[in-house]
C-alpha cells in the first residue's frame, strides 16, 4: 500500500525503494549495492513512512560521523520531504515540520502527536547515551559499512518505544482492498492475523533497524545479512 506523501521513482528502482521503505515484517533490514543506486533515498523514504504512519514516534538517523550525515544524508532527507510536498515552518507547528539545528532534531507536525527524528554520528563517544536517553521507535543507519557491527546491534537493542499505526485494522484493510492489494475483508483478516473483534484496534508497530551500504565485499554486512554461515564466495 503506497501511503500518501511518499513519492517513489518510476520503474524497477522505485519499486525497490517502495519495498524497502514499507517493509515492516523483520526487525533488521539491509540494502547494499553500488554507489548512486538510490539507497540513501530509500532510507529517507522509510523514515518519512514512519513519521506519516506512526504519530508520536521517535526515530534515530545515524551515520559514522555527524559531519558526513549533515553534508549528505540530511540533504537527501530534506529533498525527500520537499518532493512529498511537506513544508518547513517555524518553531511552534507553523508548517509540516521544523528543523531544530542546535538540537540535531526534526519535529514533524503531521498529526496531533508530534513525531521526531534525532540524528547523530555513531563514531562519537556518547552515541550509547543518546540512544538510551530517548529509546527510539526505529533506527536508520546510512553507509553502515563505515561503522562496526556492534554499534548497529546496540542501536537495534535500544529501539523500544511503543507506537501504534495511525489507522485501525479495518481502515487499512479497506484501503488495501480499494488499491487491489487484497480481495476482501476476509483476506485482510488473514494478512494481519486478527479476528473480526480486532478490526477497530490499531496495530503496534514493530521495533526495527534499517541500514544501507555500498557492496564492499566480505565485510561484516555481507557476512551478517548474506553469508551468515561463511560458505558463499563474494
Amino acid at each position: 500500500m503506497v501511503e500518501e506523501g511518499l513519492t517513489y521513482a518510476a520503474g524497477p528502482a522505485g519499486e525497490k525503494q517502495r519495498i524497502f521503505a514499507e517493509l515492516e515484517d523483520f526487525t533488521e533490514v539491509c540494502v547494499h549495492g553500488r554507489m548512486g543506486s538510490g539507497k540513501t533515498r530509500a532510507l529517507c523514504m522509510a523514515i518519512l513512512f514512519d513519521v506519516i504512519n506512526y504519530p508520536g514516534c521517535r526515530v534515530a538517523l545515524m551515520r559514522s560521523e555527524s559531519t558526513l550525515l549533515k553534508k549528505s544524508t540530511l540533504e537527501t532527507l530534506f529533498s525527500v520531504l520537499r518532493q512529498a510536498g511537506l513544508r518547513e515552518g517555524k518553531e511552534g507547528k507553523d508548517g509540516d515540520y521544523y528543523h531544530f539545528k542546535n538540537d540535531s532534531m526534526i519535529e514533524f507536525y503531521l498529526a496531533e502527536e508530534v513525531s521526531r527524528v534525532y540524528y547523530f554520528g555513531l563514531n562519537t563517544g556518547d552515541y550509547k547515551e543518546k540512544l538510551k536517553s530517548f529509546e527510539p521507535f526505529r533506527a536508520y543507519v546510512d553507509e553502515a559499512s563505515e561503522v562496526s557491527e556492534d554499534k548497529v546491534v546496540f542501536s537495534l537493542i535500544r529501539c523500544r518505544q511503543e507506537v501504534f499505526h495511525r489507522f485501525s485494522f479495518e481502515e487499512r484493510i479497506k484501503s488495501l482492498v480499494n488499491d487491489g492489494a487484497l480481495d476482501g475483508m476476509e483476506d485482510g483478516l488473514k494478512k494481519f492475523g486478527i479476528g473480526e473483534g480486532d478490526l477497530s484496534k490499531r496495530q503496534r508497530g514493530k521495533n526495527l533497524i534499517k541500514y544501507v551500504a555500498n557492496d564492499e565485499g566480505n565485510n561484516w554486512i555481507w557476512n551478517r545479512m548474506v553469508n551468515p554461515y561463511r560458505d558463499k564466495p563474494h
Side-chain angles (χ1 to χ4, degrees):
M1 177 173 60
V2 178
E3 298 290 349
E4 62 187 51
L6 286 167
T7 306
Y8 299 107
E15 178 61 14
K16 291 179 181 179
Q17 290 176 341
R18 184 193 68 79
I19 292 172
F20 179 78
E22 300 181 11
L23 188 61
E24 301 181 271
D25 298 330
F26 306 97
T27 56
E28 187 173 347
V29 183
C30 172
V31 167
H32 70 133
R34 61 179 177 82
M35 187 178 297
S37 57
K39 300 184 301 296
T40 299
R41 190 167 190 83
L43 191 81
C44 294
M45 288 177 172
I47 292 173
L48 179 56
F49 178 87
D50 286 349
V51 299
I52 289 175
N53 288 294
Y54 294 96
C57 69
R58 299 188 297 269
V59 173
L61 172 60
M62 300 164 288
R63 191 170 170 173
S64 58
E65 306 290 343
S66 60
T67 52
L68 294 173
L69 191 154
K70 293 175 183 178
K71 191 178 297 184
S72 177
T73 312
L74 209 58
E75 289 303 311
T76 301
L77 176 60
F78 288 130
S79 174
V80 167
L81 299 183
R82 288 192 296 269
Q83 189 174 8
L86 300 189
R87 180 177 60 88
E88 181 175 10
K90 301 177 181 178
E91 185 176 357
K93 302 185 180 182
D94 179 21
D96 298 309
Y97 68 93
Y98 181 74
H99 184 195
F100 291 84
K101 296 180 180 179
N102 292 336
D103 298 323
S104 298
M105 183 263 291
I106 306 167
E107 280 192 348
F108 289 85
Y109 313 120
L110 305 178
E112 185 175 339
E113 298 175 88
V114 175
S115 297
R116 295 178 175 86
V117 174
Y118 298 87
Y119 59 89
F120 50 90
L122 277 171
N123 286 347
T124 57
D126 62 347
Y127 80 93
K128 288 187 177 181
E129 285 68 30
K130 289 180 178 178
L131 287 166
K132 288 179 181 178
S133 67
F134 69 90
E135 294 197 330
F137 169 53
R138 290 176 177 170
Y140 294 88
V141 183
D142 192 19
E143 300 295 347
S145 57
E146 298 174 350
V147 302
S148 60
E149 181 178 7
D150 65 291
K151 292 179 179 179
V152 172
V153 173
F154 182 84
S155 300
L156 172 59
I157 291 172
R158 300 312 303 184
C159 291
R160 300 181 178 182
Q161 185 194 17
E162 185 178 284
V163 189
F164 291 85
H165 198 280
R166 61 173 174 156
F167 292 133
S168 68
F169 284 111
E170 184 173 15
E171 291 171 317
R172 296 172 71 184
I173 291 172
K174 286 181 178 178
S175 177
L176 288 167
V177 171
N178 291 336
D179 291 341
L182 292 175
D183 293 332
M185 186 62 67
E186 185 176 347
D187 198 16
L189 295 176
K190 291 179 181 178
K191 171 181 172 58
F192 291 110
I194 60 172
E196 291 186 3
D198 299 315
L199 285 171
S200 62
K201 298 179 182 178
R202 295 185 298 144
Q203 185 178 30
R204 177 182 174 179
K206 181 187 290 292
N207 298 119
L208 56 79
I209 189 168
K210 294 183 180 181
Y211 51 95
V212 300
N214 294 326
D215 186 354
E216 298 179 351
N218 293 315
N219 57 12
W220 71 262
I221 297 174
W222 171 263
N223 289 327
R224 182 177 180 87
M225 303 302 294
V226 181
N227 191 26
Y229 298 108
R230 310 296 195 268
D231 59 351
K232 298 177 183 177
H234 188 274

